[in-house]
Amino acid sequence: MSEKTEPKLPLIRNERFVKIAAPLSVGLLFLMLWQAVVVALQMPPYLLPGPLAVIEALISDWKPLLTALWVTLRVTFAAFAIAVVLGVMASLLFVQSRWIEMSLFPYAILMQVTPIVAIAPLIIIWINDTTWALIVCAVIMAVFPIISNTTLGLRSVDPNLLNMFRMYRTSRWQELVRLRIPGSLPYFFGGLRISSGLALIGAVVAEFVAGTGGAKAGLAYMILQSGYNLQIPRMFAALALITLTGILLFAVMVWLSDLALRSWHESALTVEN
C-alpha cells in the first residue's frame, strides 16, 4: 500500500505549483507585452501608461492609495459580513416552508436585478450617514448569491437520508443541524466566493455615485480625481489595488472552503485522499 501512495505526493505538489505558476506566467507575459507596446508606439502616459509607470505611481503615492484602500475595505468587509448574516437567515427561513420561499424569494431576485447605480442616489439621500449608505448599497449587491446558493444547498439533501431522519422521528431542528446545514456547506462557500467580489464592486460603485472626498475618500473617488487631473498612472494604480483586493478576497474564500470541506466532501478532496 505504501508503494502506491508515495508517488502521489510529488504529483500533488506539482499540481499546486502549476496552479500558482501558470497564471503568474500569463500575467507576467501580458505585462511585458503591454510595456513593449507602450514603448514601441511611444504612448504618452495620459493615454496609456505602461506597467512601469503604474508601479512608479504605486510607490510614489503609496500613502494616499493605502488610505483610500482602507476606506473601501471597511465598507466592503462590513457589507460582506451583513450580507452573510442576512443571507443565511433568509435561507434558513425559506427552507422552513415552500410558501415562505415562493412568497419572498422573488424580492431577493428583485434586489439582484435592480441596477445599483439607479438606486444608489436614493439610498444616499435617505441615509444621512455616507458610510452606512455605501454599506447598504454593497449589501444589496452581495446578499443574493448567499441567499440563492445557501437555499439551494439546504434543499439539495439526499432523499434517502431525509427519509431515514424522518423514520427515526427526528425534530426539525435536528434535521436542520445534522443534515441540511452540513450538506449545504459547499453551496454556501460557493456563494461566499461570489458575494465577496460583489461586496467590493458594490462598495466601489457606491463610492462612484456618492463622490465622497476628504478623509472618507475611497479608491473610487481617487480614480475619479485622477481621471479629472489626467493622472492616469495613479488611476491605473488604484484600479490595480481594487483588482488585487478582489483576487485576495476570492483566494481567502477558497482557502476557507478548503479548510472546512477538505476532510469530508468530494469537492475538496485531493488525490492523496
Side-chain angles (χ1 to χ4, degrees), residues 51-86:
L52 293 180
V54 175
I55 293 173
E56 289 177 4
L58 279 170
I59 295 173
S60 61
D61 297 332
W62 67 271
K63 192 171 183 179
L65 283 170
L66 289 182
T67 302
L69 175 63
W70 174 239
V71 173
T72 301
L73 284 180
R74 282 191 302 174
V75 175
T76 301
F77 290 153
F80 182 57
I82 294 172
V84 171
V85 174
L86 293 179

Side-chain angles (χ1 to χ4, degrees), residues 68-80 82-83 116 119-142 198-221 224:
L69 175 63
W70 174 239
V71 173
T72 301
L73 284 180
R74 282 191 302 174
V75 175
T76 301
F77 290 153
F80 182 57
I82 294 172
I116 193 64
I119 62 174
L122 291 175
I123 295 174
I124 294 170
I125 292 173
W126 292 337
I127 302 176
N128 292 327
D129 190 284
T130 303
T131 301
W132 275 106
L134 300 180
I135 291 173
V136 170
C137 293
V139 168
I140 292 174
M141 285 200 67
L198 288 178
L200 177 61
I201 294 172
V204 172
V205 171
E207 287 176 2
F208 270 121
V209 176
T212 306
K216 294 184 178 181
L219 286 175
Y221 181 78
L224 289 174

Side-chain angles (χ1 to χ4, degrees), residues 28-108:
L28 182 60
L29 181 62
F30 171 76
L31 292 177
M32 293 172 61
L33 181 62
W34 177 7
Q35 182 67 32
V37 170
V38 169
V39 173
L41 299 179
Q42 298 182 347
M43 299 287 291
Y46 60 85
L47 288 181
L48 180 63
L52 293 180
V54 175
I55 293 173
E56 289 177 4
L58 279 170
I59 295 173
S60 61
D61 297 332
W62 67 271
K63 192 171 183 179
L65 283 170
L66 289 182
T67 302
L69 175 63
W70 174 239
V71 173
T72 301
L73 284 180
R74 282 191 302 174
V75 175
T76 301
F77 290 153
F80 182 57
I82 294 172
V84 171
V85 174
L86 293 179
V88 171
M89 290 177 60
S91 300
L92 292 175
L93 177 64
F94 291 166
V95 80
Q96 301 305 313
S97 169
R98 285 286 186 182
W99 287 105
I100 295 177
E101 183 179 354
M102 288 188 295
S103 300
L104 299 180
F105 194 79
Y107 293 100

Side-chain angles (χ1 to χ4, degrees), residues 155-229:
R155 292 288 186 194
S156 301
V157 296
D158 189 337
N160 295 323
L161 291 176
L162 187 59
N163 290 333
M164 186 186 71
F165 268 66
R166 291 176 178 174
M167 182 179 66
Y168 283 102
R169 297 183 178 179
T170 57
S171 64
R172 293 179 66 90
W173 174 254
Q174 290 174 321
E175 178 185 306
L176 179 66
V177 172
R178 298 184 179 181
L179 178 61
R180 293 188 182 273
I181 291 180
S184 68
L185 285 180
Y187 297 86
F188 169 70
F189 283 108
L192 290 187
R193 297 180 188 185
I194 303 171
S195 179
S196 60
L198 288 178
L200 177 61
I201 294 172
V204 172
V205 171
E207 287 176 2
F208 270 121
V209 176
T212 306
K216 294 184 178 181
L219 286 175
Y221 181 78
M222 182 165 287
I223 291 172
L224 289 174
Q225 187 182 45
S226 301
Y228 292 147
N229 298 329

